[in-house]
Amino acid sequence: MKNKLTYIAALFIGAQFMGSCKKDLDVNPRERILESNYYKTPEQAFSSLISVYDQFGNQSGGYLTKLNIFSSGSDDHYAGGDSPSDLGDLQAMNNYTVSSLSGAPSYLWGKGFTGVYRANIFLQKVEEIQMDASTKNRYIAEAKALRAIFYFDLVRIFKNIPLILKPVETSDWYNVLQVPPADVYKQIELDLKEAIPNLPLTVPRNTEGGRLTQGAAHAVLGKVYLWQEKFADAATEFADVNGPSPGTTPSKYGYVLMSKFEDLYKLANKFNSESILEISYNSTSNMGWGNVGSGEGNVAGIMSGPRNYNILIPDKAPDYVSGWSVMPFTKEFFALIHFDPRNKPTVANLDSLEKAGIVTYKHANDNTGYFVEKYAGRVSTKANSGQLELNFPYNLYEIRLADTYLMEAEAVLKSGGAVGAGSRAYAALNAVRARVGLKPVDVTMDNIIKERRIELAAEGQRWFDLVRWGLAPAKLAFKGFVAGKNETLPIPNGELNNTKIVQSKEWGGTK
């Protein structure tokens, strides 16, 4: 929602929970905004809510994002970069040498618990503000749904985590305890169920694009059920999202597949009819090399571009911006998608362009010649101000309709529901294929797995899917994945010092 709402700088009132990033500010004491003086007006309530949303799309000062971390760990991508030592935290995920001292776990823990902290502060303080009751209820619903989303990532990634539902005083940090994952999932479900009635069915794209809706909350809840193998419950939630006739008519939330797959990734189509939960970025925040992660530009554009890109024949070459060669596709993935209609909108094929004498580029670390096209940085989409390479306005999909169609087909199949021709599951799976001109296939796990891999490539879903299906040990063995360990990340070492939090057994601890 970052480029659709007037953003006030993300509110950082109080200390951040357990080791999250702290920034020194040169503040005039006379202009300082104290927590005790804030949360008085509807405008301040809205600003505080936006600070919770802001954490949803957080990017670290070291260029880490949830997308590039888990893409690097998947079988679709390598970490890439200039050399095997470039962007070491991504290399550690790529090679499964990640540890409790690595940057990726620390970033993901801090990102998630900072979001939880902000949501808890908001939920505590908003009750004191005199404002329209329906608006307040909507804000509370959004904060609860966001807290659920943060906790869903945290419990999937780390498993053994604290469950904190109100602001924790600094004097109590030491005494915070972890809870069973089942308790976290129970709270996630409760937050989403309490939020749904007070969320709007739809929001105006041009002014509120990115804000949570009932459909988005139902989609997240369906995914939460799917992770817990509550397949019948998941199917019910996805059916609500997908509407009575998947692939034929819009759902009550207005969701319908875009007619052309490639149009999903055009800047003009942000918050389109297929978008359910979307992370928004813009090109106007003037983010620079000295404050990476503090602005609203999408760093994926520069990171995923080919390094030392050089155009030899201008009228035949794409206007890619020379980037850092992060997240190149594996040759195995390219062989899978090569003859699929979604190939060109998904893969920037530098290998073919170079062989044709149209461009040159540096064959950097783990080069395959196949880069991400979906949000490739281009000269035509660079920002007009700030450090141009860091301020690409591409949004990222967290959940979109093709995703929920495929998850419904899986949930129905695994719950023993009807999957033959004429069934909802059959219609949902094959609507995704029909959109790109492919013939129908049977609803089997092999077909669903293949379809999700191609359709959602480079959208951050593959690693989580492999873990959820129990396929990660086999599919990621070539990268060093260890079964019974690498399905989660280690709790960061900084969270273990001077607290009662203990490391998970998978990582040498006792929890």
Side-chain angles (χ1 to χ4, degrees), residues 282 325 344 421 491:
N282 65 54
S325 294
K344 288 186 177 180
I491 296 170

Side-chain angles (χ1 to χ4, degrees), residues 104-245:
S106 180
Y107 158 70
L108 292 165
W109 183 280
K111 175 182 185 291
F113 275 112
T114 298
V116 168
Y117 172 86
R118 295 185 185 185
N120 286 342
I121 283 283
F122 174 83
L123 290 169
Q124 181 188 68
K125 297 293 185 179
V126 72
E127 295 292 354
E128 304 169 8
I129 300 176
Q130 297 297 315
M131 57 186 295
D132 174 72
S134 62
T135 302
K136 179 186 287 190
N137 288 337
R138 178 186 176 183
Y139 288 3
I140 290 171
E142 290 176 90
K144 284 187 175 182
L146 285 165
R147 182 170 68 181
I149 292 167
F150 292 128
Y151 267 127
F152 184 41
D153 272 349
L154 286 165
V155 74
R156 288 190 294 170
I157 294 168
F158 297 105
K159 189 174 78 170
N160 296 308
I161 62 172
L163 180 60
I164 302 167
L165 303 177
K166 62 181 181 180
V168 178
E169 297 295 332
T170 54
S171 59
D172 292 331
W173 283 1
Y174 173 82
N175 296 313
V176 171
L177 299 175
Q178 292 146 292
V179 302
D183 290 356
V184 181
Y185 278 110
K186 183 178 179 180
Q187 183 62 46
I188 291 169
E189 293 175 15
L190 179 62
D191 273 347
L192 290 168
K193 290 175 181 178
E194 289 182 349
I196 286 169
N198 290 315
L199 292 171
L201 284 176
T202 62
V203 294
R205 169 185 173 185
N206 292 332
T207 56
E208 295 188 15
R211 291 184 71 175
L212 285 160
T213 62
Q214 289 186 19
H218 278 293
V220 174
L221 183 55
K223 202 165 187 178
V224 170
Y225 285 142
L226 199 62
W227 264 82
Q228 298 175 86
E229 299 186 350
K230 297 178 179 179
F231 298 120
D233 290 336
T236 298
E237 293 300 318
F238 293 133
D240 179 84
V241 173
N242 296 336
S245 304

Side-chain angles (χ1 to χ4, degrees), residues 482-497:
V482 176
K485 176 181 180 180
N486 292 122
E487 289 86 354
T488 60
L489 294 187
I491 296 170
N493 193 63
E495 309 307 327
L496 306 176
N497 297 329

